[in-house]
Amino acid sequence: MTDISRFRNFVQRFTRLIDEVGDDEQSILAEGKPLLSELIGHDDWLPEQFAVPSAERYQQYLLYCDPLERFSVVSFVWGPGQKTPVHDHTVWGMVGVMRGSELCEEYNFGPGNTGLVAAGSHQIAPGGIDLVSPRIGDIHRVSNALADNPSISIHVYGANIGAVSRHVYELPSGNSSEFISGYSSTVVPNLWDRSVATSPG
């Protein structure tokens, strides 16, 4: 049975964190990472409709957006072999793998901003968390590292990420074009109905 209370607790704690530290990115990432780690350490809270892969492309399901759009939480669901284009975020972000495995390929602009160069790659196993931002590194390509099973990661961003104007990049030129990702879902989980948890029997 889905235990949505875990996610409700995460949203409440993360909201308090944002209330306390404002837009201090270093504090958000340092104090928010353990909260995300605790959330993805349990695989019993994500409603099934936000964990469904598509044969066409990876899915980006909105799970929660702060009313002031200070942060959003998204589940990314990858079918076998699916990947993003090389892209940026323009805001801070945390990526926590909950099921499967993901491959992250990082890029930086070369000297004089003359094209993108590979800056390394790494695989993220369940429980692993990646951090991104314009300050610490913001351009990457992410793919499902599994050839025969879906992977799912939970992302937290410092904005309503589906409404942020971002960039996709061509390799190796670094030429960019703007995009707004939107979301794969038209609904979000109901965090606030406690009737099931409180009903007798």
Side-chain angles (χ1 to χ4, degrees):
M1 181 177 176
T2 301
D3 183 8
I4 200 68
S5 67
R6 292 195 195 279
F7 186 50
R8 180 171 61 243
N9 180 258
F10 171 83
V11 166
Q12 290 171 334
R13 293 169 72 188
F14 210 92
T15 301
R16 292 188 191 103
L17 171 60
I18 298 296
D19 286 344
E20 291 170 5
V21 305
D23 59 0
D24 180 349
E25 179 188 303
Q26 286 184 285
S27 295
I28 292 169
L29 296 180
E31 298 180 40
K33 187 176 178 180
L35 300 180
L36 181 58
S37 180
E38 181 179 339
L39 179 67
I40 63 173
H42 300 275
D43 194 357
D44 62 355
W45 59 269
L46 182 64
E48 184 57 36
Q49 72 186 100
F50 304 101
V52 179
S54 167
E56 297 178 2
R57 67 189 304 272
Y58 63 90
Q59 300 295 286
Q60 179 174 304
Y61 296 111
L62 176 64
L63 302 179
Y64 179 79
C65 184
D66 172 70
L68 300 180
E69 298 183 288
R70 298 173 298 177
F71 73 96
S72 56
V73 188
V74 180
S75 64
F76 269 71
V77 184
W78 315 83
Q82 291 177 345
K83 65 178 64 178
T84 69
V86 178
H87 66 282
D88 65 14
H89 311 85
T90 76
V91 298
W92 61 259
M94 300 187 293
V95 177
V97 173
M98 191 165 72
R99 300 178 197 171
S101 181
E102 293 180 7
L103 176 67
C104 177
E105 301 168 84
E106 300 166 312
Y107 296 89
N108 292 324
F109 278 100
N113 288 336
T114 55
L116 285 174
V117 295
S121 65
H122 56 278
Q123 197 161 324
I124 314 168
I129 296 176
D130 253 6
L131 305 177
V132 297
S133 83
R135 179 180 62 88
I136 62 177
D138 195 39
I139 302 175
H140 67 190
R141 174 167 54 201
V142 181
S143 57
N144 185 353
L146 305 182
D148 52 359
N149 280 298
S151 292
I152 297 179
S153 51
I154 305 302
H155 300 211
V156 187
Y157 294 107
N160 175 8
I161 195 63
V164 173
S165 180
R166 302 189 277 149
H167 306 89
V168 293
Y169 296 91
E170 298 176 4
L171 293 176
S173 68
N175 292 337
S176 67
S177 55
E178 292 187 4
F179 80 105
I180 297 175
S181 67
Y183 296 109
S184 304
S185 51
T186 58
V187 297
V188 295
N190 184 350
L191 303 183
W192 313 115
D193 181 4
R194 293 174 171 85
S195 61
V196 173
T198 58
S199 60

